[in-house]
Structures are given as C-alpha cells and as structure tokens.
Amino acid sequence: MIRTLHFAVVLAALLSGTALAHDSSGGDEGAKVTLVYEHELPNVPGKSVKGVLVEYAPGGFSEGHTHPVSAFIYATVLEGAIRSQVNDGPVTVYSAGESFSELPGDRHGVSENTSTTKPAKLLAVFVVDTAETELTFPIKE
C-alpha cells in the first residue's frame, strides 16, 4: 500500500503539467488547484486515490475549508513554504519536502504561501470515496 501511494505521488507530480486546471472558488486568492491523478483502489472497493496539485502565487492563499468526511489526506510541499493550520492545532510552516496529514472531518483554517515574492506548491493525495466529485468545501461561519 505504501509503495502504491508513493507511486501515485510521483506520478501525480509528473503529470501535473498536462492536467486540466481550474482556479479555486470561494474567495481564494492566488491559488490554482489541479486534479493530476485519479485511480480507484482495486483492493478497497468504493475508494479512490486522487492527487491534487495546489499552486500558490506569491502571497496566495486558500480560504478556510473542509474536505469530504470520507477523505484522508497526505500533503507534501513541493516548492516554497506553506503556512498551515488544521483544526485548533498550531499554525505551522512546512517547507519543500515536508509533509502533513488531515483526517476525515478535519478543518483546514489556514493554508497560504509564506512568501510574497516566490510561488509555492503542494501535492495533496486524497484517499476518498470514489463517488466524491467535490474535494473542498468552504467553512461556513
């Protein structure tokens, strides 16, 4: 399983240049989200792995959000540094090569590029119900 997940992360990073992109909705500024990999897990019926490339322009950010309640997420910073806060945990800065995870039901209150002059990228790998088409939902206050 770890070998498969590692392969998915590498493949998603390689395919990122060819995937269709869309700008994030919900008031995000300077954030581009691209689905770069999607594959049903053959040994876990009803589950898929989906790779999402998040690109932040200098000063870019995503509004506070959640993910499907079925989603486990493992995110790795590919370039630059990302400031992140999950639930009521500490605001943490992750640099290129560092990773963090989000459990089903977690709230991602802070996700932003730490730099106002350089871009930042992260790859978020979701293990999620195959039927899920929306992967991010704005936090409603």
Short mmCIF file of all heavy atoms in Angstrom, two decimals, residues 55-125:
data_model
loop_
_atom_site.label_atom_id
_atom_site.label_comp_id
_atom_site.label_asym_id
_atom_site.label_seq_id
_atom_site.Cartn_x
_atom_site.Cartn_y
_atom_site.Cartn_z
N GLU A 55 -1.20 25.21 -6.32
CA GLU A 55 -0.15 26.17 -6.63
C GLU A 55 -0.55 27.54 -6.09
O GLU A 55 -1.62 28.06 -6.44
CB GLU A 55 0.06 26.26 -8.15
CG GLU A 55 0.49 24.93 -8.76
CD GLU A 55 0.54 25.00 -10.27
OE1 GLU A 55 -0.51 24.75 -10.89
OE2 GLU A 55 1.62 25.31 -10.80
N TYR A 56 0.29 28.09 -5.24
CA TYR A 56 0.05 29.40 -4.67
C TYR A 56 0.98 30.42 -5.31
O TYR A 56 2.20 30.24 -5.31
CB TYR A 56 0.29 29.40 -3.16
CG TYR A 56 -0.75 28.65 -2.36
CD1 TYR A 56 -0.41 27.51 -1.66
CD2 TYR A 56 -2.06 29.09 -2.31
CE1 TYR A 56 -1.36 26.82 -0.92
CE2 TYR A 56 -3.01 28.42 -1.58
CZ TYR A 56 -2.66 27.29 -0.88
OH TYR A 56 -3.60 26.60 -0.15
N ALA A 57 0.41 31.48 -5.83
CA ALA A 57 1.20 32.61 -6.29
C ALA A 57 1.83 33.28 -5.07
O ALA A 57 1.42 33.01 -3.93
CB ALA A 57 0.29 33.60 -7.03
N PRO A 58 2.80 34.16 -5.27
CA PRO A 58 3.33 34.90 -4.11
C PRO A 58 2.18 35.57 -3.35
O PRO A 58 1.32 36.22 -3.95
CB PRO A 58 4.25 35.93 -4.76
CG PRO A 58 4.70 35.25 -6.03
CD PRO A 58 3.49 34.49 -6.51
N GLY A 59 2.13 35.34 -2.05
CA GLY A 59 1.06 35.90 -1.22
C GLY A 59 -0.27 35.18 -1.36
O GLY A 59 -1.25 35.57 -0.74
N GLY A 60 -0.33 34.10 -2.13
CA GLY A 60 -1.58 33.39 -2.38
C GLY A 60 -2.04 32.57 -1.18
O GLY A 60 -1.25 32.17 -0.32
N PHE A 61 -3.34 32.30 -1.14
CA PHE A 61 -3.90 31.55 -0.02
C PHE A 61 -5.20 30.87 -0.44
O PHE A 61 -5.79 31.21 -1.46
CB PHE A 61 -4.18 32.48 1.17
CG PHE A 61 -5.24 33.51 0.89
CD1 PHE A 61 -6.58 33.26 1.18
CD2 PHE A 61 -4.91 34.74 0.33
CE1 PHE A 61 -7.55 34.21 0.91
CE2 PHE A 61 -5.88 35.69 0.06
CZ PHE A 61 -7.20 35.43 0.35
N SER A 62 -5.63 29.93 0.37
CA SER A 62 -6.94 29.31 0.25
C SER A 62 -7.75 29.69 1.48
O SER A 62 -7.22 29.70 2.59
CB SER A 62 -6.83 27.78 0.21
OG SER A 62 -6.11 27.35 -0.90
N GLU A 63 -9.02 29.99 1.27
CA GLU A 63 -9.92 30.26 2.39
C GLU A 63 -10.03 29.02 3.26
O GLU A 63 -9.76 27.90 2.81
CB GLU A 63 -11.30 30.66 1.88
CG GLU A 63 -11.35 31.97 1.14
CD GLU A 63 -11.21 33.19 2.04
OE1 GLU A 63 -11.37 33.05 3.28
OE2 GLU A 63 -10.94 34.27 1.51
N GLY A 64 -10.47 29.19 4.50
CA GLY A 64 -10.69 28.05 5.38
C GLY A 64 -11.65 27.07 4.72
O GLY A 64 -12.61 27.47 4.07
N HIS A 65 -11.35 25.77 4.86
CA HIS A 65 -12.15 24.77 4.17
C HIS A 65 -12.11 23.42 4.89
O HIS A 65 -11.31 23.20 5.79
CB HIS A 65 -11.66 24.59 2.73
CG HIS A 65 -10.22 24.17 2.63
ND1 HIS A 65 -9.19 25.08 2.62
CD2 HIS A 65 -9.64 22.94 2.57
CE1 HIS A 65 -8.04 24.42 2.56
NE2 HIS A 65 -8.28 23.12 2.52
N THR A 66 -13.00 22.55 4.45
CA THR A 66 -13.02 21.16 4.87
C THR A 66 -12.99 20.30 3.61
O THR A 66 -13.03 20.83 2.49
CB THR A 66 -14.28 20.82 5.70
OG1 THR A 66 -15.42 21.03 4.87
CG2 THR A 66 -14.37 21.65 6.96
N HIS A 67 -12.93 19.00 3.83
CA HIS A 67 -12.92 18.04 2.73
C HIS A 67 -14.00 17.00 3.00
O HIS A 67 -14.59 16.98 4.09
CB HIS A 67 -11.54 17.39 2.63
CG HIS A 67 -10.45 18.40 2.37
ND1 HIS A 67 -10.27 19.01 1.15
CD2 HIS A 67 -9.50 18.91 3.19
CE1 HIS A 67 -9.25 19.85 1.23
NE2 HIS A 67 -8.77 19.82 2.46
N PRO A 68 -14.31 16.15 2.03
CA PRO A 68 -15.33 15.12 2.28
C PRO A 68 -15.04 14.34 3.57
O PRO A 68 -13.87 14.09 3.90
CB PRO A 68 -15.23 14.21 1.06
CG PRO A 68 -14.68 15.09 -0.02
CD PRO A 68 -13.74 16.02 0.68
N VAL A 69 -16.10 13.95 4.27
CA VAL A 69 -15.90 13.24 5.53
C VAL A 69 -15.24 11.89 5.35
O VAL A 69 -14.73 11.31 6.30
CB VAL A 69 -17.23 13.08 6.30
CG1 VAL A 69 -17.77 14.43 6.73
CG2 VAL A 69 -18.25 12.31 5.50
N SER A 70 -15.18 11.40 4.12
CA SER A 70 -14.50 10.12 3.85
C SER A 70 -13.01 10.30 3.56
O SER A 70 -12.29 9.31 3.42
CB SER A 70 -15.15 9.43 2.65
OG SER A 70 -14.90 10.14 1.45
N ALA A 71 -12.53 11.54 3.47
CA ALA A 71 -11.18 11.80 2.95
C ALA A 71 -10.10 11.75 4.02
O ALA A 71 -10.18 12.41 5.05
CB ALA A 71 -11.14 13.17 2.28
N PHE A 72 -9.06 10.98 3.74
CA PHE A 72 -7.78 11.07 4.44
C PHE A 72 -6.83 11.72 3.46
O PHE A 72 -6.76 11.32 2.29
CB PHE A 72 -7.25 9.68 4.84
CG PHE A 72 -5.84 9.74 5.38
CD1 PHE A 72 -5.62 10.12 6.69
CD2 PHE A 72 -4.76 9.47 4.57
CE1 PHE A 72 -4.32 10.21 7.19
CE2 PHE A 72 -3.46 9.55 5.05
CZ PHE A 72 -3.24 9.92 6.36
N ILE A 73 -6.08 12.73 3.92
CA ILE A 73 -5.22 13.50 3.02
C ILE A 73 -3.80 13.51 3.55
O ILE A 73 -3.56 13.73 4.74
CB ILE A 73 -5.74 14.95 2.90
CG1 ILE A 73 -7.17 14.95 2.40
CG2 ILE A 73 -4.83 15.77 2.00
CD1 ILE A 73 -7.99 16.07 2.90
N TYR A 74 -2.87 13.28 2.64
CA TYR A 74 -1.45 13.37 2.93
C TYR A 74 -0.88 14.40 1.97
O TYR A 74 -0.93 14.22 0.74
CB TYR A 74 -0.78 12.01 2.74
CG TYR A 74 0.69 12.00 3.07
CD1 TYR A 74 1.11 11.98 4.39
CD2 TYR A 74 1.65 12.02 2.07
CE1 TYR A 74 2.46 11.97 4.71
CE2 TYR A 74 3.00 12.01 2.38
CZ TYR A 74 3.40 11.99 3.70
OH TYR A 74 4.74 11.98 4.01
N ALA A 75 -0.38 15.52 2.49
CA ALA A 75 0.10 16.62 1.66
C ALA A 75 1.61 16.79 1.81
O ALA A 75 2.13 16.71 2.92
CB ALA A 75 -0.61 17.91 2.04
N THR A 76 2.27 17.03 0.68
CA THR A 76 3.71 17.26 0.66
C THR A 76 3.98 18.57 -0.05
O THR A 76 3.48 18.80 -1.16
CB THR A 76 4.44 16.11 -0.07
OG1 THR A 76 4.18 14.89 0.60
CG2 THR A 76 5.94 16.35 -0.10
N VAL A 77 4.78 19.43 0.56
CA VAL A 77 5.17 20.68 -0.07
C VAL A 77 6.25 20.38 -1.10
O VAL A 77 7.27 19.76 -0.78
CB VAL A 77 5.67 21.71 0.98
CG1 VAL A 77 6.11 23.00 0.30
CG2 VAL A 77 4.59 21.99 2.02
N LEU A 78 6.00 20.80 -2.33
CA LEU A 78 6.94 20.54 -3.43
C LEU A 78 7.89 21.70 -3.67
O LEU A 78 9.01 21.50 -4.14
CB LEU A 78 6.16 20.25 -4.72
CG LEU A 78 5.18 19.09 -4.68
CD1 LEU A 78 4.42 19.01 -6.01
CD2 LEU A 78 5.91 17.79 -4.39
N GLU A 79 7.41 22.91 -3.38
CA GLU A 79 8.20 24.11 -3.67
C GLU A 79 7.80 25.21 -2.70
O GLU A 79 6.63 25.37 -2.37
CB GLU A 79 7.91 24.56 -5.10
CG GLU A 79 8.58 25.83 -5.55
CD GLU A 79 8.17 26.22 -6.97
OE1 GLU A 79 7.89 25.34 -7.80
OE2 GLU A 79 8.12 27.44 -7.24
N GLY A 80 8.78 25.97 -2.23
CA GLY A 80 8.49 27.08 -1.33
C GLY A 80 8.14 26.61 0.07
O GLY A 80 8.61 25.57 0.53
N ALA A 81 7.28 27.37 0.73
CA ALA A 81 6.85 27.06 2.09
C ALA A 81 5.38 27.43 2.24
O ALA A 81 4.92 28.44 1.70
CB ALA A 81 7.69 27.79 3.12
N ILE A 82 4.65 26.60 2.98
CA ILE A 82 3.21 26.76 3.19
C ILE A 82 2.95 26.92 4.68
O ILE A 82 3.45 26.14 5.49
CB ILE A 82 2.45 25.51 2.69
CG1 ILE A 82 2.76 25.20 1.23
CG2 ILE A 82 0.95 25.64 2.95
CD1 ILE A 82 2.19 26.14 0.23
N ARG A 83 2.15 27.92 5.04
CA ARG A 83 1.68 28.08 6.42
C ARG A 83 0.34 27.38 6.50
O ARG A 83 -0.54 27.60 5.67
CB ARG A 83 1.53 29.56 6.74
CG ARG A 83 1.14 29.85 8.18
CD ARG A 83 1.09 31.36 8.48
NE ARG A 83 2.41 31.96 8.36
CZ ARG A 83 2.79 32.78 7.38
NH1 ARG A 83 1.95 33.11 6.43
NH2 ARG A 83 4.01 33.28 7.35
N SER A 84 0.18 26.51 7.50
CA SER A 84 -1.00 25.67 7.58
C SER A 84 -1.48 25.54 9.02
O SER A 84 -0.68 25.52 9.95
CB SER A 84 -0.67 24.28 7.03
OG SER A 84 -1.76 23.41 7.10
N GLN A 85 -2.79 25.44 9.17
CA GLN A 85 -3.38 25.13 10.47
C GLN A 85 -4.54 24.17 10.25
O GLN A 85 -5.43 24.42 9.45
CB GLN A 85 -3.90 26.37 11.18
CG GLN A 85 -4.50 26.05 12.55
CD GLN A 85 -5.10 27.27 13.22
OE1 GLN A 85 -5.63 28.16 12.57
NE2 GLN A 85 -5.02 27.30 14.54
N VAL A 86 -4.51 23.04 10.95
CA VAL A 86 -5.57 22.05 10.89
C VAL A 86 -6.26 22.02 12.25
O VAL A 86 -5.60 21.92 13.29
CB VAL A 86 -5.01 20.66 10.52
CG1 VAL A 86 -6.11 19.62 10.54
CG2 VAL A 86 -4.34 20.70 9.15
N ASN A 87 -7.59 22.16 12.21
CA ASN A 87 -8.41 22.23 13.43
C ASN A 87 -7.90 23.36 14.33
O ASN A 87 -7.61 24.44 13.83
CB ASN A 87 -8.45 20.88 14.14
CG ASN A 87 -9.12 19.81 13.29
OD1 ASN A 87 -10.08 20.10 12.57
ND2 ASN A 87 -8.62 18.60 13.34
N ASP A 88 -7.77 23.12 15.62
CA ASP A 88 -7.29 24.14 16.53
C ASP A 88 -5.82 23.96 16.86
O ASP A 88 -5.32 24.51 17.84
CB ASP A 88 -8.12 24.13 17.82
CG ASP A 88 -9.56 24.53 17.57
OD1 ASP A 88 -9.79 25.42 16.73
OD2 ASP A 88 -10.47 23.95 18.20
N GLY A 89 -5.11 23.20 16.01
CA GLY A 89 -3.68 22.97 16.23
C GLY A 89 -2.89 24.23 15.96
O GLY A 89 -3.43 25.27 15.56
N PRO A 90 -1.59 24.15 16.17
CA PRO A 90 -0.75 25.33 15.95
C PRO A 90 -0.63 25.67 14.47
O PRO A 90 -0.74 24.78 13.61
CB PRO A 90 0.61 24.89 16.50
CG PRO A 90 0.61 23.41 16.34
CD PRO A 90 -0.82 22.98 16.58
N VAL A 91 -0.44 26.94 14.17
CA VAL A 91 -0.12 27.34 12.81
C VAL A 91 1.33 26.91 12.59
O VAL A 91 2.22 27.25 13.37
CB VAL A 91 -0.29 28.86 12.62
CG1 VAL A 91 0.16 29.28 11.24
CG2 VAL A 91 -1.75 29.26 12.86
N THR A 92 1.54 26.12 11.54
CA THR A 92 2.85 25.52 11.29
C THR A 92 3.30 25.85 9.87
O THR A 92 2.48 25.89 8.95
CB THR A 92 2.77 23.98 11.44
OG1 THR A 92 2.25 23.69 12.74
CG2 THR A 92 4.12 23.33 11.28
N VAL A 93 4.60 26.08 9.71
CA VAL A 93 5.17 26.31 8.38
C VAL A 93 5.85 25.03 7.92
O VAL A 93 6.68 24.46 8.64
CB VAL A 93 6.17 27.48 8.39
CG1 VAL A 93 6.87 27.61 7.05
CG2 VAL A 93 5.46 28.78 8.76
N TYR A 94 5.46 24.58 6.72
CA TYR A 94 6.05 23.40 6.10
C TYR A 94 6.83 23.84 4.87
O TYR A 94 6.29 24.54 4.01
CB TYR A 94 4.97 22.39 5.69
CG TYR A 94 4.18 21.87 6.86
CD1 TYR A 94 2.97 22.45 7.23
CD2 TYR A 94 4.64 20.78 7.59
CE1 TYR A 94 2.25 21.96 8.30
CE2 TYR A 94 3.92 20.30 8.67
CZ TYR A 94 2.73 20.89 9.02
OH TYR A 94 2.01 20.42 10.09
N SER A 95 8.08 23.44 4.80
CA SER A 95 8.95 23.79 3.68
C SER A 95 9.00 22.64 2.68
O SER A 95 8.56 21.52 2.98
CB SER A 95 10.36 24.10 4.18
OG SER A 95 10.32 25.21 5.05
N ALA A 96 9.56 22.91 1.50
CA ALA A 96 9.68 21.90 0.45
C ALA A 96 10.24 20.60 1.03
O ALA A 96 11.22 20.61 1.76
CB ALA A 96 10.55 22.41 -0.68
N GLY A 97 9.56 19.50 0.74
CA GLY A 97 9.98 18.19 1.22
C GLY A 97 9.29 17.76 2.50
O GLY A 97 9.36 16.58 2.87
N GLU A 98 8.63 18.67 3.20
CA GLU A 98 7.93 18.32 4.44
C GLU A 98 6.47 18.01 4.14
O GLU A 98 5.90 18.49 3.17
CB GLU A 98 8.04 19.46 5.46
CG GLU A 98 9.46 19.70 5.91
CD GLU A 98 9.57 20.78 6.96
OE1 GLU A 98 8.94 21.86 6.80
OE2 GLU A 98 10.27 20.53 7.96
N SER A 99 5.87 17.20 5.03
CA SER A 99 4.51 16.71 4.81
C SER A 99 3.65 16.86 6.06
O SER A 99 4.16 16.98 7.16
CB SER A 99 4.55 15.23 4.43
OG SER A 99 5.33 15.02 3.29
N PHE A 100 2.34 16.82 5.85
CA PHE A 100 1.38 16.79 6.95
C PHE A 100 0.16 16.01 6.47
O PHE A 100 0.01 15.74 5.29
CB PHE A 100 0.99 18.20 7.42
CG PHE A 100 0.33 19.06 6.38
CD1 PHE A 100 -1.05 19.11 6.27
CD2 PHE A 100 1.09 19.83 5.50
CE1 PHE A 100 -1.67 19.90 5.32
CE2 PHE A 100 0.48 20.62 4.55
CZ PHE A 100 -0.90 20.66 4.45
N SER A 101 -0.70 15.66 7.41
CA SER A 101 -1.90 14.92 7.03
C SER A 101 -3.13 15.57 7.64
O SER A 101 -3.05 16.34 8.59
CB SER A 101 -1.80 13.46 7.47
OG SER A 101 -1.65 13.36 8.86
N GLU A 102 -4.28 15.24 7.03
CA GLU A 102 -5.58 15.67 7.53
C GLU A 102 -6.45 14.43 7.63
O GLU A 102 -6.50 13.63 6.70
CB GLU A 102 -6.22 16.69 6.60
CG GLU A 102 -5.47 18.00 6.52
CD GLU A 102 -6.13 19.00 5.59
OE1 GLU A 102 -7.36 19.23 5.74
OE2 GLU A 102 -5.43 19.54 4.73
N LEU A 103 -7.13 14.29 8.74
CA LEU A 103 -8.02 13.15 8.97
C LEU A 103 -9.44 13.49 8.53
O LEU A 103 -9.79 14.68 8.42
CB LEU A 103 -7.99 12.76 10.44
CG LEU A 103 -6.62 12.34 10.98
CD1 LEU A 103 -6.69 12.09 12.48
CD2 LEU A 103 -6.10 11.13 10.25
N PRO A 104 -10.28 12.49 8.30
CA PRO A 104 -11.67 12.76 7.94
C PRO A 104 -12.32 13.71 8.96
O PRO A 104 -12.18 13.53 10.17
CB PRO A 104 -12.32 11.37 7.98
CG PRO A 104 -11.19 10.44 7.63
CD PRO A 104 -9.98 11.04 8.32
N GLY A 105 -12.99 14.74 8.45
CA GLY A 105 -13.67 15.70 9.30
C GLY A 105 -12.84 16.88 9.77
O GLY A 105 -13.36 17.80 10.39
N ASP A 106 -11.53 16.88 9.49
CA ASP A 106 -10.68 18.00 9.91
C ASP A 106 -11.06 19.29 9.19
O ASP A 106 -11.57 19.28 8.08
CB ASP A 106 -9.20 17.70 9.62
CG ASP A 106 -8.57 16.80 10.66
OD1 ASP A 106 -9.21 16.49 11.68
OD2 ASP A 106 -7.42 16.37 10.42
N ARG A 107 -10.78 20.40 9.87
CA ARG A 107 -10.99 21.74 9.30
C ARG A 107 -9.62 22.35 9.02
O ARG A 107 -8.75 22.38 9.88
CB ARG A 107 -11.73 22.63 10.30
CG ARG A 107 -13.13 22.16 10.62
CD ARG A 107 -13.73 22.86 11.83
NE ARG A 107 -13.65 24.30 11.78
CZ ARG A 107 -14.64 25.11 11.40
NH1 ARG A 107 -15.79 24.59 11.02
NH2 ARG A 107 -14.49 26.41 11.40
N HIS A 108 -9.45 22.82 7.79
CA HIS A 108 -8.18 23.43 7.39
C HIS A 108 -8.38 24.94 7.36
O HIS A 108 -8.81 25.51 6.36
CB HIS A 108 -7.78 22.90 6.01
CG HIS A 108 -6.34 23.05 5.71
ND1 HIS A 108 -5.73 22.42 4.67
CD2 HIS A 108 -5.36 23.76 6.32
CE1 HIS A 108 -4.46 22.73 4.63
NE2 HIS A 108 -4.22 23.55 5.62
N GLY A 109 -8.08 25.59 8.50
CA GLY A 109 -8.37 27.01 8.67
C GLY A 109 -7.37 27.93 8.01
O GLY A 109 -7.72 29.03 7.58
N VAL A 110 -6.11 27.52 7.91
CA VAL A 110 -5.07 28.35 7.30
C VAL A 110 -4.32 27.50 6.28
O VAL A 110 -3.89 26.38 6.58
CB VAL A 110 -4.06 28.87 8.35
CG1 VAL A 110 -2.92 29.63 7.70
CG2 VAL A 110 -4.76 29.72 9.40
N SER A 111 -4.19 28.01 5.07
CA SER A 111 -3.37 27.39 4.03
C SER A 111 -2.91 28.51 3.11
O SER A 111 -3.71 29.04 2.33
CB SER A 111 -4.16 26.33 3.26
OG SER A 111 -3.31 25.67 2.34
N GLU A 112 -1.62 28.87 3.24
CA GLU A 112 -1.16 30.02 2.47
C GLU A 112 0.34 29.95 2.20
O GLU A 112 1.10 29.32 2.93
CB GLU A 112 -1.48 31.32 3.20
CG GLU A 112 -0.84 31.43 4.57
CD GLU A 112 -1.38 32.59 5.39
OE1 GLU A 112 -2.40 33.18 5.02
OE2 GLU A 112 -0.76 32.89 6.42
N ASN A 113 0.74 30.62 1.14
CA ASN A 113 2.14 30.77 0.80
C ASN A 113 2.77 31.72 1.82
O ASN A 113 2.22 32.78 2.10
CB ASN A 113 2.25 31.34 -0.62
CG ASN A 113 3.67 31.41 -1.14
OD1 ASN A 113 4.64 31.23 -0.40
ND2 ASN A 113 3.80 31.67 -2.42
N THR A 114 3.92 31.34 2.36
CA THR A 114 4.59 32.22 3.33
C THR A 114 5.31 33.38 2.66
O THR A 114 5.65 34.35 3.33
CB THR A 114 5.60 31.44 4.18
OG1 THR A 114 6.62 30.92 3.32
CG2 THR A 114 4.94 30.32 4.96
N SER A 115 5.55 33.27 1.36
CA SER A 115 6.33 34.29 0.64
C SER A 115 5.44 35.23 -0.16
O SER A 115 4.45 34.80 -0.76
CB SER A 115 7.32 33.61 -0.31
OG SER A 115 8.00 34.58 -1.09
N THR A 116 5.82 36.48 -0.19
CA THR A 116 5.13 37.45 -1.05
C THR A 116 5.89 37.68 -2.34
O THR A 116 5.47 38.48 -3.17
CB THR A 116 4.94 38.79 -0.32
OG1 THR A 116 6.23 39.29 0.07
CG2 THR A 116 4.05 38.64 0.90
N THR A 117 7.01 36.94 -2.53
CA THR A 117 7.82 37.13 -3.74
C THR A 117 8.04 35.85 -4.54
O THR A 117 8.43 35.93 -5.70
CB THR A 117 9.20 37.73 -3.39
OG1 THR A 117 9.88 36.83 -2.50
CG2 THR A 117 9.06 39.10 -2.73
N LYS A 118 7.82 34.68 -3.94
CA LYS A 118 8.07 33.41 -4.63
C LYS A 118 6.83 32.53 -4.56
O LYS A 118 6.11 32.54 -3.56
CB LYS A 118 9.24 32.67 -3.97
CG LYS A 118 10.55 33.41 -4.07
CD LYS A 118 11.65 32.64 -3.37
CE LYS A 118 12.94 33.43 -3.40
NZ LYS A 118 13.99 32.78 -2.62
N PRO A 119 6.59 31.72 -5.61
CA PRO A 119 5.44 30.80 -5.57
C PRO A 119 5.69 29.63 -4.63
O PRO A 119 6.83 29.38 -4.22
CB PRO A 119 5.33 30.33 -7.02
CG PRO A 119 6.70 30.47 -7.58
CD PRO A 119 7.34 31.65 -6.87
N ALA A 120 4.63 28.90 -4.32
CA ALA A 120 4.72 27.68 -3.50
C ALA A 120 3.76 26.65 -4.10
O ALA A 120 2.73 27.01 -4.68
CB ALA A 120 4.35 27.98 -2.05
N LYS A 121 4.13 25.37 -3.96
CA LYS A 121 3.29 24.28 -4.48
C LYS A 121 3.22 23.17 -3.45
O LYS A 121 4.20 22.89 -2.77
CB LYS A 121 3.88 23.69 -5.75
CG LYS A 121 3.92 24.59 -6.94
CD LYS A 121 4.51 23.85 -8.13
CE LYS A 121 4.71 24.79 -9.29
NZ LYS A 121 5.33 24.09 -10.44
N LEU A 122 2.05 22.53 -3.40
CA LEU A 122 1.93 21.32 -2.59
C LEU A 122 1.10 20.30 -3.35
O LEU A 122 0.26 20.64 -4.18
CB LEU A 122 1.35 21.61 -1.21
CG LEU A 122 -0.11 21.95 -1.00
CD1 LEU A 122 -0.96 20.70 -0.94
CD2 LEU A 122 -0.27 22.71 0.30
N LEU A 123 1.39 19.04 -3.08
CA LEU A 123 0.64 17.94 -3.65
C LEU A 123 -0.14 17.30 -2.51
O LEU A 123 0.45 16.85 -1.53
CB LEU A 123 1.57 16.91 -4.29
CG LEU A 123 0.87 15.69 -4.89
CD1 LEU A 123 0.01 16.09 -6.08
CD2 LEU A 123 1.90 14.65 -5.31
N ALA A 124 -1.47 17.29 -2.65
CA ALA A 124 -2.34 16.67 -1.65
C ALA A 124 -2.87 15.37 -2.25
O ALA A 124 -3.50 15.38 -3.31
CB ALA A 124 -3.49 17.60 -1.29
N VAL A 125 -2.60 14.26 -1.58
CA VAL A 125 -3.07 12.95 -2.03
C VAL A 125 -4.23 12.54 -1.13
O VAL A 125 -4.07 12.42 0.08
CB VAL A 125 -1.93 11.91 -1.99
CG1 VAL A 125 -2.46 10.54 -2.40
CG2 VAL A 125 -0.79 12.34 -2.90
#
